[in-house]
Structures are given as C-alpha cells and as structure tokens.
Amino acid sequence: MIIAIDGPAASGKGTLSRLVAEHFRLAWLDTGSLYRAVGLKMLRNGDDPADREAAEKAAKSLNPNELTNSELKTEVVGLAASKVAAIPEVRQALVGFQRSFAQTPPGGAQGAVLDGRDIGTVVCPDADFKVYVTASPEARAHRRFLELRDKGDTVTEQEVLAMTRERDARDTNRGESPLKTAEDAYLLDTTNLSIDAAFAALKVYISGSSN
Ligand code: CDP
C-alpha cells in the first residue's frame, strides 16, 4: 500500500504522515528531507543553491546519514531546499530513491507513506491513496513559528510568513513537478482543524473508520 501526502510548507503533512505511518504500520519517508539535505550541503560548501551543476553534484552524492541532521529543519535550509528543488537535474537524481522506498519499503513494512510536493502527481502517480493537505498561509506560518520558537530559534512570525510565501510561490510556479493537487487527491484543509481531527479524517478516508 502506498499513501502519497502532498501539500505546502507547514500544512501539517509531516505530523499527519508520521501518525498515518504508525497507525497503519507503514514505512515513512519525508521527501522534503532529501531536498533540505541537498540545500544544507550547498550552504555548507558556500555554493549558491541555484547553481545547477553544483546542486546536481550534491544531489547525486547524497547519502542516507545526511537526512537526519537537526539543522535540516531551519527556515534558512527550507528556503535553500526550495531553490535546489526547482532544478530538474536535482529532482531526477532524487526520484529513484523515492520510488524504490515506495516499492520496497525498509524493515519489511507492507507499504509506505511518502510526504512532499509531487508524490501523488509525479513520484507515485499510482499510489493507493492520495491526500493534499493545506491551510491558510497565516495558519501555517503561525504553526511553523511556534515550532521554531520551541527549538530556540529567534526568527519572528513575520519573517516566517515571508519565507513561507516565498517558498509557496517558488514551489507552485516552477516548471518541473510543481506543487499542485493531484486530480484524484482527497483535499484536507487543516486551517481550523486540530491534528487529532485531521488525523481522524484521514483514517476515515484510508480505512473507512476513525479507529
Ligand atoms: O516541512 P516543510 O513542509 O516546510 O518543507 P519540506 O517538506 O521539508 O520541503 C522543503 C522544500 O523541499 C519545499 O519547499 C520544496 O521546495 C522541496 N520539496 C519538493 O520540491 N518536493 C518534495 N517532494 C518535497 C520537498
């Protein structure tokens, strides 16, 4: 079973994907971590994240132990990720890993949950279930601000909102695999939903029951 969960930054898709994976005992891949890891590598090397050749090289040399660094979660790395993610060669270098994770999930799991921007449209167009999680930019920026503040980050809510809007615009308008709702996706707007309520709705969509 393959479940594709797409949506813009801080829509709740990461938390929901983790909960869905735990509940249905599936492997989970946060595909944003791949683009973030490439972005972080570029920043560390002093490269411009929009440099196509350097970004392709960084994507091709990515290894799994680079996907767990706590620095990946910062907004600065998120912005760099959205720049490398607009480069077709980077996406091509990363799609194989994502598809083989979906087809042959690690740990003998019977399926996988992948969350990102293009999972239901490009990476796994034949996924059994497709979800598009969204929320207003203000609600998403507020959530991300609280998350970052808890981690000791001093970024302001206004700055987070500006970076969220910049990332949304780049992710939606890029030529290669832009962020968009798959035609057959279940649309979940979490602006006024708690995580518990959103998770309950997803369980009903996937299994017909909220238990
Ligand atoms: O956690 P958040 O929603 O803020 O971002 P993320 O899922 O970690 O993704 C970081 C960036 O990677 C996004 O802004 C996208 O530009 C890019 N990305 C992508 O292009 N395709 C994916 N499947 C996943 C992420």
Side-chain angles (χ1 to χ4, degrees):
M1 172 155 90
I2 298 176
I3 303 178
I5 303 188
D6 290 304
S11 53
K13 67 186 186 320
T15 304
L16 289 169
S17 300
R18 179 174 52 77
L19 291 171
V20 167
E22 276 169 11
H23 183 78
F24 293 102
R25 295 174 199 275
L26 304 170
W28 170 40
L29 179 63
D30 163 12
T31 66
S33 69
L34 302 171
Y35 295 93
R36 284 174 179 268
V38 175
L40 178 59
K41 201 187 272 206
M42 306 280 293
L43 294 177
R44 282 195 172 159
N45 291 345
D47 290 325
D48 173 2
D51 178 336
R52 294 175 89 103
E53 250 175 65
E56 182 181 5
K57 212 167 131 203
K60 285 185 170 163
S61 65
L62 201 65
N63 71 59
N65 63 25
E66 291 173 271
L67 304 179
T68 48
N69 190 327
S70 61
E71 230 187 294
L72 292 179
K73 285 291 163 202
T74 65
E75 283 307 285
V76 173
V77 173
L79 265 190
S82 79
K83 290 180 185 165
V84 303
I87 301 171
E89 292 83 358
V90 168
R91 306 200 71 85
Q92 279 148 28
L94 300 178
V95 76
F97 176 79
Q98 298 172 69
R99 288 193 178 132
S100 64
F101 186 100
Q103 293 304 330
T104 320
Q110 295 301 302
V113 180
L114 281 80
D115 80 273
R117 301 289 186 287
D118 60 340
I119 308 304
T121 51
V122 175
V123 178
C124 302
D126 299 325
D128 301 279
F129 298 96
K130 296 182 186 179
V131 184
Y132 189 88
V133 187
T134 190
S136 71
E138 291 76 13
R140 292 186 284 118
H142 184 64
R143 287 176 196 158
R144 185 54 50 91
F145 164 71
L146 294 179
E147 228 173 85
L148 292 166
R149 199 186 58 182
D150 281 353
K151 286 187 198 150
D153 199 317
T154 54
V155 70
T156 67
E157 187 162 346
Q158 277 314 309
E159 286 167 337
V160 176
L161 180 60
M163 286 189 273
T164 303
R165 287 190 193 280
E166 183 183 335
R167 212 136 63 84
D168 282 355
R170 199 170 9 249
D171 291 350
T172 311
N173 296 322
R174 69 183 176 219
E176 182 88 7
S177 306
L179 169 67
K180 65 174 180 196
T181 317
E183 273 175 20
D184 48 351
Y186 169 69
L187 192 65
L188 184 61
D189 187 330
T190 66
T191 307
N192 297 308
L193 286 185
S194 66
I195 280 292
D196 285 350
F199 180 41
L202 276 190
K203 282 188 284 191
V204 171
Y205 164 63
I206 294 165
S207 68
S209 155
S210 62
N211 295 315

